[in-house]
Amino acid sequence: MLSTLVLRGAARSNAANMIKSTARLTPLKAYSTIVANVQRQALTKPLALTQKVAPIAVRGIAVSAPKMASAGSNHTSLWTIERVVSAGLLAVIPAAFLAPSQVLDALLAISVVIHTHWGVEAMVVDYMRPAVVGNILPKVAHIALIIISVATLGGLFYFIKNDVGLANGIKRFWAIKGKDAEKA
């Protein structure tokens, strides 16, 4: 990445100098002269790494696609993690219902909340584009999504710790019979 920035900076400064020196030529001759000189310099002169480059800001952990995109990295690792969580839900959901425990309930809560967060975040990014709705609304929507996700996870942890647990709570909810079902 550093080499790319250095090469871009070197090409920019060389191109600017070439344009200044060929300002009196016709546009076609100026362009061909610039290209020829830049190619010649690239082949004959070694690239000087003494040019100062602005420091690159790197984020340690990015957990969402927009954050990873702004950090300048690719989405491959996040995409892989999303797929692992999605596939893991196929095992975690039945396990939490077959052998209810606080550990499996917590794993289920984390998996479902992060899976839902990523899905809703994708909708926020797709439909709250700054070009369409302005710069403030996408930020507000993303912050609201983070707050809702954290509150949901906190509420589920509270329910797991201080009540019957997530899987047992869902089982009890399914066992509720309505008044119409009792009359029949």
Side-chain angles (χ1 to χ4, degrees):
M1 182 182 251
L2 181 61
S3 63
T4 305
L5 291 174
V6 171
L7 288 174
R8 285 182 184 168
R12 244 185 260 123
S13 65
N14 287 340
N17 291 336
M18 296 299 159
I19 290 172
K20 288 177 186 174
S21 66
T22 58
R24 295 185 184 136
L25 299 174
T26 61
L28 184 59
K29 284 185 179 180
Y31 175 76
S32 61
T33 305
I34 290 171
V35 171
N37 288 338
V38 169
Q39 289 174 348
R40 188 178 322 107
Q41 284 183 359
L43 293 174
T44 59
K45 292 183 180 178
L47 184 61
L49 294 177
T50 58
Q51 186 177 18
K52 294 198 177 200
V53 179
I56 301 169
V58 178
R59 292 184 180 166
I61 298 174
V63 294
S64 63
K67 298 291 182 205
M68 289 186 73
S70 65
S73 64
N74 61 16
H75 302 339
T76 306
S77 59
L78 179 64
W79 185 86
T80 304
I81 293 168
E82 288 174 350
R83 297 311 167 262
V84 168
V85 168
S86 297
L89 280 169
L90 295 173
V92 170
I93 292 172
F97 283 99
L98 292 175
S101 68
Q102 284 188 344
V103 173
L104 285 174
D105 283 347
L107 190 59
L108 177 64
I110 291 169
S111 301
V112 168
V113 169
I114 195 73
H115 180 76
T116 305
H117 174 83
W118 283 329
V120 176
E121 184 183 41
M123 289 187 284
V124 167
V125 170
D126 285 346
Y127 295 113
M128 295 286 183
R129 291 178 296 207
V132 177
V133 297
N135 289 329
I136 295 174
L137 193 57
K139 293 175 185 175
V140 170
H142 198 258
I143 290 170
L145 173 63
I146 291 170
I147 291 169
I148 290 169
S149 296
V150 169
T152 301
L153 189 60
L156 288 174
F157 281 161
Y158 181 83
F159 186 71
I160 292 167
K161 181 73 175 161
N162 297 322
D163 210 336
V164 295
L166 192 55
N168 285 331
I170 293 171
K171 285 180 183 178
R172 286 186 180 184
F173 182 74
W174 284 340
I176 297 174
K177 294 183 181 174
K179 293 180 182 180
D180 295 333
E182 291 176 6
K183 290 180 183 179

